[in-house]
Amino acid sequence: EFTQEDMARAARLNIDKSTVTWRRVLDTNDRFLRAVTIGQGPAEKGYNGETGFDITVASEIMAVLALTTSLGDMRERLGRMVVASDMDGNPVTAEDLNIAGALTVLMKDAIEPTLMQT
């Protein structure tokens, strides 16, 4: 649940919702989910739009995982990912949204070598 402080911080970014570049991801390839319409329910208050799903391995986060050299490097790379633009056309990054640390925590175990790599 967003607090008033969270909403004020997000509002200062002035994000143009039509420029959000992050799409949802799934571990399955379903061509029908490549383009979907969201926000059609009565509780959505007119916040509808078009988006889609990508397969997980095609996501930018997975590209960062493939290129990262350490946990600190991963956090820095995740923070630099552009997620949208503001109304003036300036990029909005994951760091601007204060989510780079949370993304790193979610991905921290993924940088450990797998059985096949050892």
Side-chain angles (χ1 to χ4, degrees):
E1 185 85 23
F2 266 140
T3 65
Q4 288 289 16
E5 182 180 307
D6 292 333
M7 287 187 272
R9 186 175 35 235
R12 77 168 167 76
L13 294 174
N14 201 22
I15 295 173
D16 180 356
K17 69 177 186 172
S18 69
T19 65
V20 174
T21 58
W22 273 5
R23 292 167 37 113
R24 294 155 173 83
V25 294
L26 292 172
D27 279 332
T28 184
N29 188 8
D30 188 341
R31 292 182 186 276
F32 288 107
L33 295 176
R34 288 186 181 169
V36 296
T37 304
I38 60 170
Q40 294 182 356
E44 303 303 322
K45 301 180 184 170
Y47 292 108
N48 57 1
E50 293 184 12
T51 187
F53 287 85
D54 292 325
I55 56 174
T56 303
V57 295
S59 70
E60 189 173 1
I61 291 174
M62 287 302 179
V64 166
L65 178 62
L67 297 171
T68 195
T69 58
S70 67
L71 196 60
D73 178 55
M74 179 187 283
R75 190 195 188 296
E76 185 178 317
R77 288 174 186 266
L78 290 170
R80 288 194 313 252
M81 289 190 303
V82 175
V83 299
S85 297
D86 66 15
M87 293 297 197
D88 296 325
N90 300 312
V92 177
T93 65
E95 193 66 54
D96 293 333
L97 295 173
N98 295 322
I99 61 170
L103 287 170
T104 305
V105 168
L106 289 171
M107 298 298 292
K108 72 177 176 56
D109 292 331
I111 64 173
E112 298 296 323
T114 66
L115 185 58
M116 301 264 304
Q117 293 170 324
T118 57

